[in-house]
Amino acid sequence: MLGVEIYRLWRAGRVDLPALAGVYRRAADGFGGVRHDDRHWCVLRAQLVSVLAAAEGQIEEAAAAVCVAAAEYARADAAAGAEFDRLRGGNAEGPR
């Protein structure tokens, strides 16, 4: 079961969260491309683009952290499996 959970973490960090960050990037690009002569709109647009870009960056940071967590869980799981095998003497039945 742990392998499935590690895969889900990895997938979230490598696929799902980067896709979500892309939504924010495209939204920021979309607002950035809207031109208007009104000064108030320009200020609001700049604020919106800034907030969306910050959210994109935070999601990308979260994705990287999730990938690190998945790698650490996998490493710990491999170490636990190796220790389990060592303790039982490499014998599926365990020590005699």
Side-chain angles (χ1 to χ4, degrees), residues 4 6 27 35 39 43 54 66 78 80-83 90 94:
V4 171
I6 292 170
R35 300 291 173 223
R39 184 179 65 83
V43 169
V66 167
E83 180 64 5

Side-chain angles (χ1 to χ4, degrees), residues 1-89:
M1 281 299 247
L2 185 58
V4 171
E5 298 306 319
I6 292 170
Y7 171 76
R8 288 179 181 158
L9 277 176
W10 175 85
R11 182 169 169 78
R14 294 289 296 228
V15 177
D16 300 333
L17 288 172
L20 180 60
V23 170
Y24 282 87
R25 184 182 335 93
R26 288 187 297 280
D29 290 346
F31 273 112
V34 176
R35 300 291 173 223
H36 201 284
D37 292 338
D38 183 68
R39 184 179 65 83
H40 296 293
W41 166 250
C42 292
V43 169
L44 176 62
R45 179 185 64 209
Q47 290 173 340
L48 287 169
V49 169
S50 177
V51 167
L52 292 167
E56 174 194 1
Q58 291 169 344
I59 293 168
E60 288 173 342
E61 288 177 15
V66 167
C67 286
V68 168
E72 281 299 307
Y73 276 123
R75 184 194 58 74
D77 187 44
E83 180 64 5
F84 176 69
D85 285 344
R86 185 190 71 76
L87 289 172
R88 66 184 178 140

